Amino acid sequence: MTTARTLLQLDATYARDVPGMSLPWTAAEAPAPELLVLNEELAAELGVDPAALRDADGVRFLAGQGLPEEVTPVAQVYAGHQFGMYQPRLGDGRALLLGDVVDVHGRRRDLHLKGSGRTPFARGGDGFAVVGPMLLEYLMGEAMHALGIPTTRALAVVATGTQVRRERMLPGAVLCRVAESHLRVGTFQYAAATGDHDVLRALADHAIARHHPGAADSPQPYLELFRRVCAAQADLVARWMLVGFVHGVMNTDNTTISGETIDYGPCAFMDVVDPGTVFSSIDERGRYAYGNQPAIMRWNLARLGEALVPLLGDDLDATGEALNEVLAAFPDLYERRWAGHMAAKLGIATPDLALGNDLMTLLQAERVDFTTFFRALSTGTARDLVLDRAAFDVWAARRDALLPADRDAVAAAMDRVNPVRIPRNHHVEPALRAAERGDLGPFLRLLDAVTTPFDERPELADLAGPPPTDALPHITYCGT
Ligand code: AMP
Ligand code: MG
């Protein structure tokens, strides 16, 4: 019989390439593992037969149980600024890197468990995760992927059969996550803080080889690495902004080197346009509000730049200047990406930053539902969503002047980038609550809806559109 263990050839590239930045560790026991959801498409991409992951050994594997001897899971260490405060030692408190595989496209991908028990980095935490938040990460990640946004992905959620104490007792779960890597800005912060330049260099070389191989050809590979991470993150945040995604906890330990979205905790999608949109109960000052995300990303990248300083040569003035030059270019770079993606949403052939910005001002003043508006723009019904018709008409005339002649082609292209359905908070919450009670039906239906975001599907009409006007504001809690 072929099982998951023989099918998945797990390597230990990170532990081997970057010594001293991870600890071998074993997952806690999962007494009664039960597969809640499996990503068959992703399994196939990894070269695994989904059926092998569904059998008893496969499910145990997905919860970190009964691993073959040659697999050595590790807990990765990292530091990070959490809400601006430096924490010298965070790390995988409840997660393990199983290893990496080369997928059917030849891409190296990490396999990682979240909720697999305490590690030496657990600090006060219990090491566990519960079903609701792990299904949320599954749903959000797969929705983002379907929207074309770089993200870690979910392979499976397995209920462990244990009860975990949160605000009440809740069913425990392990998420099996797939990522281009789990290198974070915080990983570099930790490596820099060790004072051991060999460790930092090994980490940077690993990051270059894995994510930004072109940087190796530069006369200044580490500066070029920095430049490329900044570019990847500028594009990522621009994409977030244009689907109304609010990450909610953009700490430097939740900012990747690959440019993938990572760690779906208190995240949520904005309904009406408002730069001040904050969902997280712990983000009292709105540090990570929708409109702050580009500036926060730049701040996080500045921390990456600082961590790289020891690799950038002995002339500290020149190093500072070079880093500042890259950072100073970030807002422009971000705006260019934003304007480019916005052009696609508007159906115009050439980016027009002012046109996009003026639209955002109009939508904000009118408190228009972001997602609904863009879909309505291709069908010609957007005007009905705005009260100040005169202001809309002035803006629409400017856009009309930039539209290509073939309007049907424009509308079709717009419908391929403007989603009908996103994970709306008022649908996510009840789906997760039902799943906690053992009914996965609403979750699976919502997953289907948000992973086919651009398709008109009348049978899913109830999952499109904004929440009822009398709905309470959505608040996300960090009790993950
Ligand atoms: P986050 O910002 O939520 O991604 O996590 C911040 C840090 O807290 C990471 O180092 C996590 O591994 C750790 N952490 C979060 N929840 C737990 C938990 N229940 N047990 C142990 N560590 C945790
Ligand atoms: Mg995190």
Side-chain angles (χ1 to χ4, degrees), residues 322-474:
L323 289 174
N324 281 331
E325 200 181 300
V326 178
L327 281 173
F330 183 84
D332 256 7
L333 184 57
Y334 164 77
E335 270 188 346
R336 279 208 303 280
R337 301 294 174 156
W338 186 88
H341 297 310
M342 180 56 111
K345 289 177 81 69
L346 296 176
I348 58 177
T350 321
D352 185 326
L353 181 64
L355 186 73
N357 281 336
D358 293 347
L359 174 63
M360 292 307 286
T361 305
L362 181 68
L363 296 182
Q364 186 191 344
E366 295 270 338
R367 296 190 66 72
V368 177
D369 182 81
F370 187 65
T371 303
T372 308
F373 179 87
F374 284 96
R375 196 72 187 192
L377 200 55
S378 71
T379 54
T381 53
R383 189 175 189 266
D384 305 341
L385 301 171
V386 177
L387 288 176
D388 187 347
R389 301 277 157 86
F392 178 84
D393 291 342
V394 170
W395 178 84
R398 286 165 61 199
R399 169 177 172 258
D400 277 353
L402 300 173
L403 283 178
D406 184 349
R407 296 299 164 93
D408 288 344
V410 168
M414 288 172 68
D415 286 351
R416 288 193 294 272
V417 294
N418 293 317
V420 187
R421 291 172 304 277
I422 52 165
R424 299 266 189 182
N425 307 314
H426 63 297
H427 297 306
V428 172
E429 280 301 314
L432 296 182
R433 296 295 85 80
E436 275 169 2
R437 292 192 304 271
D439 176 11
L440 279 165
F443 173 82
L444 294 173
R445 183 166 179 265
L446 184 58
L447 180 65
D448 177 32
V450 300
T451 51
T452 53
F454 305 114
D455 302 345
E456 293 287 352
R457 293 176 63 186
E459 78 280 15
L460 297 174
D462 58 305
L463 295 178
T469 45
D470 61 350
L472 294 173
H474 179 71

Side-chain angles (χ1 to χ4, degrees), residues 78 82 90-91 93-94 122-123 125-128 166 253-254 263:
Y78 47 84
Q82 299 188 309
L90 293 167
R94 55 162 175 175
R123 297 172 294 150
D126 60 9
F128 295 118
R166 288 292 179 263
D253 52 302
N254 293 333
D263 279 356

